[in-house]
Amino acid sequence: MRFRSLILCCLGFILPASVVCRAQEPVVELTRGPYLQTATPGGVKIVWRIRTGGKPQVRYGAKPGNLDQTLPASAIILRRTAEDGGSSALMPPLNAAPVGTRQYEAAVTGLKPDTQYFYAVYEGEKRLTAEHPDFSFHTLPEPGKPHDGLFWVVGDSGTGNRVQLKVHTAMRNVLKAENRTLDGYLHVGDMAYGSGMDSEFQGYFFDSYAATLRNTVCWPSMGNHEGRHSNGAEGTGPYYDAYVCPVNGEAGGLPSGTEAYYSFDYGQVHFICLDSHDLPRDPSGAMAQWLKADLDKTKAKWIVAFFHHPPYTKGSHDSDKEQQLIEMRRDILPILESGGVDLVLTGHSHIYERSMLIDGAYATPTVAENVVLDDGDGNPAGDGAYHKSEGLHPNEGAVQIVAGHGGTTLARKAAPSPVMRTTIIEFGSVLLDFKGNTLTARMINSDGVVRDTFQMVKEGKVVVKRIAKPWQAPVPAGPRTLPIVGPDPGQEKESAQAVEGRKYKFGRDSVEIIPHATPWQYLAGAQPAEGWRLNGFKAEGWKTGKAGFGYGDKDDATPLDEMRGKYRYVCIRREFELKPGQDPAKLALVASYDDGFIVYLNGQEVRRQNVETGALETVRGVAPHEAKAEFFLFPLKEARSLMKPGVNTLAIEGYNDDLGSSDFTLDPYLILTK
């Protein structure tokens, strides 16, 4: 009956309206969100994406079962890519979204402060969000009024792996056990590895945190990985497509005129976000001048600053050796500390570090003498809380937290920074709890265990005393680097030196099918003929050379010295055969690469790394990646269905992110894992 009705409809026969609509109505589904942005005492921004449609609607109300208010269509802004015609004169087009994307940004206003509302997103009369109380938002309390607040802090999390999910779940389980909800979410950067492409934002941020983002505003700061495809000065790229940050002081604080840095108030707490990545950090620059003016204006009781690059760290990065970190310490911290900052939150370094109460540690290298005001552990169950005077006062000390342990590889240097009280090499996140005159911070690891706690109490008048010889942490024993755990393709790695010694874990515990440093057929500087990825291809005009292929590093078995400035990709192919009893589902590629590649098995794509779309001349979105003499494991789980009896062909396209790149590496081999 359904088939007959469709035929009659196509022939022009008149059918009931319900049948016609069912046959012609396009499928409308959410491709991102909805998620919350820029809360204010009187409202919030609700953002979502779809691929088809054009009749957006938001309904909201004080009860989940009674969404009795409908947002006017004029309050919903549509953003599209330039290829789709861009957007209105008031909004820039989406910079890097898939063609056909419709991003809606709905401004809900005129609401009561400090009030919970529930909402739903519609396309016409079709509800796109589930009927669930999780789809809710809470307007901010009025600035300056006492109000408790609970905030989640995460950094360097955007991997999409099992660890990232564990960290998120651990936080949610802690709050569930305490019967509490978040009042905000601060991300200190690197939420979309490896280069902040739109697809990485989707998979490693919006998909990973969907359960929290639908009812909690994320206040972001841009990391260096997002900065590879986004530009702070121009306000363009996937980062600026994704987030809607306050630019006009609508959430409190001084208008900044840019989403790259901004401030907002939550009751008596003043939050300041800075761009430590790609904007000038010097004291005379626009960001520093805005920061001074913003600090002068605020009447808050607490000041929290957050940005990506830490002024103090000895984790995977060294704040005494890297310019961005040195400049944030030397040029920006004096402004923050003279403005009375209490807490500075950062990421970038893949570790958890927490300082003592410090002020004035601007020297390079960092020293602890006479800059530590309290060298206790800050724990109310230990040495006791840190104390500061009631209100805001210059240079009474601040605590620095490096929270770059949200999901990517952990590492530390030989010795901790001299100003750090706690250094923990575990995955996790941080919860900030503001209650009256007390701030409590807890580091929650990926198993939900509280691993560090400190408190700061602000009352009365405190006399500042500097300690000539403060407490110093002992040099810890044990490994300096901990790998990602879990079966995450492309995340397990070892060094090239280990490969040469055959102590490499992938080689030791597996069988080489295409050995390391073996000859491949390769074509450089030209587009291959059709069928080059298949068995039986006659590779006329191709050359033969040992892996790896590349230039610029002086370690390539087959140098491609003419590649720079002339072509961006290289094609390689090799035939192989499995022995009886060898399971093709256990095949895995091992590769060192700079910058990206696509893998084909018997003509079918089985892996794409650091390449967003397309292939060969139509490729798009190649992300930078440094080889650093490291090899990564990429399981080829689809191989079982693609393998043929006898000879099979493995083909790989290796890509440079830029025609003028200083180096290129493609060094693969094929193994059968045990």
Side-chain angles (χ1 to χ4, degrees):
M1 189 65 164
R2 198 173 296 168
F3 178 70
R4 180 169 177 255
S5 297
L6 181 59
I7 293 176
L8 292 173
C9 183
C10 294
L11 292 175
F13 287 86
I14 298 176
L15 296 170
S18 60
V19 175
V20 174
C21 292
R22 197 176 299 125
Q24 297 178 345
E25 196 173 75
V27 176
V28 180
E29 294 180 345
L30 291 164
T31 59
R32 176 177 292 182
Y35 58 100
L36 306 180
Q37 289 284 274
T38 307
T40 69
V44 74
K45 298 285 181 67
I46 302 174
V47 186
W48 72 97
R49 284 184 178 182
I50 59 175
R51 295 299 296 272
T52 60
K55 299 178 180 179
Q57 193 178 129
V58 173
R59 299 177 188 175
Y60 60 96
K63 296 181 180 180
N66 185 24
L67 307 182
D68 56 353
Q69 301 291 315
T70 300
L71 191 68
S74 59
I76 304 176
I77 293 173
L78 167 64
R79 295 182 64 192
R80 295 182 292 182
T81 63
E83 294 92 330
D84 291 322
S87 304
S88 68
L90 299 176
M91 292 295 294
L94 295 175
N95 182 264
V99 174
T101 296
R102 296 170 179 263
Q103 179 166 302
Y104 293 110
E105 300 173 3
V108 186
T109 59
L111 305 181
K112 297 178 180 179
D114 191 22
T115 302
Q116 185 178 27
Y117 294 87
F118 300 87
Y119 72 94
V121 168
Y122 287 76
E123 172 60 28
E125 294 300 315
K126 179 182 178 180
R127 184 168 181 158
L128 302 181
T129 50
E131 295 186 32
H132 196 283
D134 269 2
F135 292 92
S136 65
F137 60 86
H138 206 115
T139 54
L140 299 188
E142 294 183 24
K145 288 192 174 182
H147 199 287
D148 294 348
L150 181 64
F151 290 80
W152 186 42
V153 183
V154 183
D156 301 77
S157 65
T159 60
N161 62 28
R162 184 168 60 88
V163 173
Q164 178 188 9
L165 299 179
K166 280 190 67 178
V167 169
H168 182 214
T169 300
M171 176 276 297
R172 291 177 62 85
N173 286 342
V174 168
L175 296 190
K176 183 178 180 180
E178 297 176 354
N179 194 26
R180 304 182 67 191
T181 57
L182 291 175
D183 295 303
Y185 167 19
L186 312 177
H187 203 297
V188 292
D190 284 0
M191 65 277 287
Y193 285 103
S195 60
M197 294 187 293
D198 185 84
S199 59
E200 292 166 331
F201 268 99
Q202 185 62 48
Y204 305 155
F205 182 80
F206 289 104
D207 290 347
S208 296
Y209 296 130
T212 293
L213 296 173
R214 65 176 58 126
N215 51 46
T216 306
V217 174
C218 176
W219 305 90
S221 59
M222 189 170 77
N224 55 293
H225 284 271
E226 288 78 57
R228 290 179 177 177
H229 279 85
S230 296
N231 185 296
E234 298 175 357
T236 58
Y239 175 88
Y240 292 97
D241 288 346
Y243 299 117
V244 183
C245 301
V247 300
N248 299 313
E250 58 266 43
L254 190 71
S256 66
T258 173
E259 290 183 293
Y261 51 87
Y262 59 89
S263 60
F264 68 96
D265 290 318
Y266 188 89
Q268 295 182 312
V269 186
H270 186 63
F271 291 92
I272 300 171
C273 173
L274 300 176
D275 180 346
S276 62
H277 174 61
D278 65 352
L279 293 184
R281 292 168 285 277
D282 61 279
S284 62
M287 182 171 69
Q289 291 299 308
W290 169 83
L291 175 61
K292 292 176 183 177
D294 182 73
L295 288 166
D296 287 342
K297 178 187 176 184
T298 186
K299 305 298 181 183
K301 183 172 185 174
W302 300 93
I303 294 179
V304 177
F306 64 105
F307 45 87
H308 188 59
H309 295 84
Y312 313 98
T313 184
K314 295 290 182 178
S316 62
H317 293 272
D318 191 330
S319 57
D320 290 331
K321 295 181 179 179
E322 301 178 33
Q323 197 62 28
Q324 289 166 306
L325 285 63
I326 292 171
E327 290 178 3
M328 291 302 290
R329 176 172 68 249
R330 183 191 67 200
D331 298 334
I332 297 298
L333 270 191
I335 300 172
L336 285 168
E337 291 182 343
S338 65
V341 70
D342 300 298
L343 181 64
V344 177
L345 305 165
T346 55
H348 191 54
S349 198
H350 303 164
I351 198 168
Y352 172 81
E353 298 168 294
R354 195 260 297 170
S355 77
M356 298 171 275
L357 188 67
I358 62 175
D359 176 79
Y362 312 138
T364 302
T366 298
V367 295
E369 289 77 11
N370 296 307
V371 300
V372 176
L373 310 186
D374 187 335
D375 64 355
D377 64 10
N379 193 326
D383 297 334
Y386 299 130
H387 288 269
K388 298 182 67 173
S389 301
E390 175 79 17
L392 295 181
H393 300 275
N395 304 104
E396 283 200 359
V399 171
Q400 303 271 337
I401 292 180
V402 180
H405 60 322
T408 193
T409 306
L410 302 172
R412 65 167 171 80
K413 307 300 179 184
S417 171
V419 299
M420 291 299 174
R421 180 72 201 204
T422 303
T423 299
I424 302 175
I425 313 178
E426 293 181 16
F427 299 106
S429 60
V430 176
L431 285 171
L432 304 179
D433 211 339
F434 295 90
K435 290 186 177 182
N437 65 350
T438 302
L439 160 63
T440 303
R442 295 176 289 169
M443 194 281 257
I444 312 293
N445 74 8
S446 58
D447 293 320
V449 178
V450 177
R451 296 286 283 113
D452 181 46
T453 300
F454 84 88
Q455 277 188 351
M456 185 181 294
V457 178
K458 303 184 78 171
E459 60 184 359
K461 177 64 178 175
V462 172
V463 177
V464 174
K465 295 181 179 179
R466 297 178 180 271
I467 302 173
K469 293 183 179 181
W471 176 91
Q472 292 291 277
V475 177
R480 299 183 189 179
T481 302
L482 296 180
I484 290 279
V485 296
D488 302 301
Q491 297 295 339
E492 300 179 68
K493 61 182 180 180
E494 286 292 345
S495 69
Q497 289 79 8
V499 174
E500 294 301 320
R502 308 317 305 143
K503 296 178 181 178
Y504 184 48
K505 64 182 179 182
F506 305 143
R508 183 186 66 229
D509 300 330
S510 59
V511 176
E512 289 186 342
I513 303 301
I514 299 178
H516 181 248
T518 198
W520 294 65
Q521 294 175 319
Y522 75 97
L523 182 66
Q527 185 166 349
E530 187 176 353
W532 73 274
R533 308 180 184 109
L534 301 173
N535 288 342
F537 175 73
K538 295 181 179 180
E540 297 178 358
W542 289 55
K543 297 180 181 180
T544 300
K546 290 184 178 181
F549 303 87
Y551 70 90
D553 298 320
K554 298 182 180 180
D555 61 354
D556 302 297
T558 301
L560 303 173
D561 295 330
E562 78 286 357
M563 183 175 182
R564 186 175 186 179
K566 294 183 179 179
Y567 55 91
R568 288 185 57 199
Y569 64 85
V570 173
C571 299
I572 67 174
R573 65 188 308 277
R574 199 179 193 285
E575 296 178 347
F576 68 95
E577 187 173 2
L578 292 184
K579 296 179 181 180
Q582 292 179 326
D583 185 358
K586 294 183 178 180
L587 281 173
L589 184 77
V590 180
S592 179
Y593 64 99
D594 179 345
D595 293 292
F597 61 85
I598 306 175
V599 183
Y600 303 87
L601 183 59
N602 292 328
Q604 296 296 313
E605 182 180 323
V606 292
R607 178 73 195 192
R608 180 177 291 254
Q609 184 70 15
N610 269 22
V611 180
E612 191 165 30
T613 60
L616 301 176
E617 297 298 331
T618 64
V619 78
R620 178 185 176 189
V622 179
H625 179 269
E626 291 297 328
K628 296 181 181 179
E630 293 173 331
F631 282 72
F632 293 76
L633 180 70
F634 301 92
L636 305 179
K637 298 178 181 179
E638 302 91 340
R640 176 177 287 170
S641 62
L642 298 175
M643 289 288 289
K644 301 177 180 178
V647 176
N648 294 268
T649 297
L650 184 68
I652 304 175
E653 300 160 5
Y655 293 91
N656 236 340
D657 73 315
D658 186 80
L659 192 63
S661 177
S662 61
D663 55 5
F664 170 78
T665 297
L666 180 60
D667 191 0
Y669 67 102
L670 187 68
I671 67 173
L672 197 72
T673 60
K674 289 292 184 68

